[in-house]
């Protein structure tokens, strides 16, 4: 369990760095550079919630929750760096979070399904040394506005503390819907096709 926790923290760091770049650049360029984080996760074989949820086996749900918690810890480490940056990263993060809150729990939860499906599909191909789906899939879910629960954790941890405190309950409920939506999306092929592994 210790190795899994450490691996998942590092995965959160990778996504945090990718999110840092996205907050700094934004747009299509930021979406493309975000792919670095997922490529690093796959290359080092790190434990990322959205890279694991579509492949977990019976009895591993507690381990999946541990992975998500450690991913958030990794994001926190990078978020502390982001707070020291001279760039206006906190303002950009707040705009993203405000957009999520305005969209609402149901909408974000449903959109998160799209991200989960893209992630499992891209990771499946990446495990077979086919990285183009990952390079295209990551910018795709960002451009489409599909929330990614680990990336979102980084954004939440970057916003000004007073904003986060004022919206704590709404953010927690929103985050839970995104985590659930990602989980459903990651397992969409199982729910529809019924196979243990994608064909």
């Amino acid at each position: 369990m210790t190795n899994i926790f450490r691996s998942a923290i590092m995965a959160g760091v990778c996504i945090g760095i990718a999110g840092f770049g996205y907050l700094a650049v934004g747009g299509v360029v930021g979406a493309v550079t975000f792919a670095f984080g997922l490529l690093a996760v796959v290359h080092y074989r790190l434990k990322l919630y959205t890279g694991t949820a579509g492949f977990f086996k019976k009895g591993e749900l507690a381990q999946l929750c541990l992975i998500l918690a450690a991913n958030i810890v990794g994001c926190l480490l990078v978020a502390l760096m982001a707070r020291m940056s001279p760039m206006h990263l906190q303002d950009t993060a707040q705009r993203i979070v405000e957009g999520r809150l305005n969209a609402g729990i149901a909408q974000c939860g449903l959109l998160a399904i799209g991200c989960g499906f893209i992630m499992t599909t891209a990771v499946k191909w990446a495990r077979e040394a086919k990285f183009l789906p990952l390079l295209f899939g990551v910018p795709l879910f960002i451009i489409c506005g599909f929330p990614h629960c680990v990336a979102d954790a980084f954004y939440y941890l970057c916003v000004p503390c007073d904003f986060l405190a004022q919206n704590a309950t709404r953010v927690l409920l929103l985050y839970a819907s995104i985590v659930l939506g990602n989980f459903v999306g990651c397992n969409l092929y199982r729910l529809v096709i019924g196979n243990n592994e994608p064909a």
Side-chain angles (χ1 to χ4, degrees):
M1 278 295 186
T2 302
N3 287 339
I4 291 173
F5 191 73
R6 291 166 62 187
S7 175
I9 288 176
M10 195 63 215
V13 168
C14 291
I15 299 304
I17 290 172
F20 194 121
Y22 180 70
L23 292 180
V25 180
V28 175
V29 174
V32 172
T33 57
F34 194 101
F36 170 82
L38 278 301
L39 286 167
V41 167
V42 171
H43 176 73
Y44 291 115
R45 299 183 180 181
L46 303 173
K47 294 291 186 181
L48 182 68
Y49 175 82
T50 51
T52 307
F55 305 97
F56 85 103
K57 298 178 177 63
K58 187 177 180 180
E60 294 181 344
L61 190 58
Q63 180 177 299
L64 191 61
C65 293
L66 175 69
I67 288 170
L68 178 59
N71 288 165
I72 294 171
V73 171
C75 287
L76 174 61
L77 297 176
V78 183
L80 294 175
M81 292 172 54
R83 288 178 175 275
M84 292 185 285
S85 172
M87 295 182 283
H88 299 289
L89 304 182
Q90 288 184 291
D91 294 338
T92 306
Q94 182 171 328
R95 284 195 294 273
I96 292 173
V97 177
E98 285 175 339
R100 299 273 200 262
L101 290 171
N102 290 335
I105 293 172
Q107 183 174 331
C108 286
L110 288 171
L111 288 173
I113 294 173
C115 176
F117 175 73
I118 290 171
M119 285 300 302
T120 292
T121 304
V123 169
K124 171 62 179 172
W125 270 320
R127 289 181 175 185
E128 299 170 1
K130 301 172 183 175
F131 295 102
L132 280 179
L134 193 57
L135 288 171
F136 285 111
V138 172
L140 177 62
F141 80 67
I142 293 174
I143 291 168
C144 290
F146 297 160
H148 182 285
C149 63
V150 182
D152 270 37
F154 172 72
Y155 301 143
Y156 300 159
L157 293 167
C158 282
V159 299
C161 293
D162 57 344
F163 175 84
L164 193 59
Q166 292 167 10
N167 296 278
T169 301
R170 294 175 65 202
V171 167
L172 285 172
L173 291 172
L174 177 72
Y175 190 67
S177 73
I178 291 171
V179 170
L180 180 60
N182 281 169
F183 180 82
V184 172
C186 286
N187 290 279
L188 193 60
Y189 73 92
R190 287 173 163 177
L191 296 171
V192 176
I193 300 172
N195 293 339
N196 290 328
E197 290 288 340

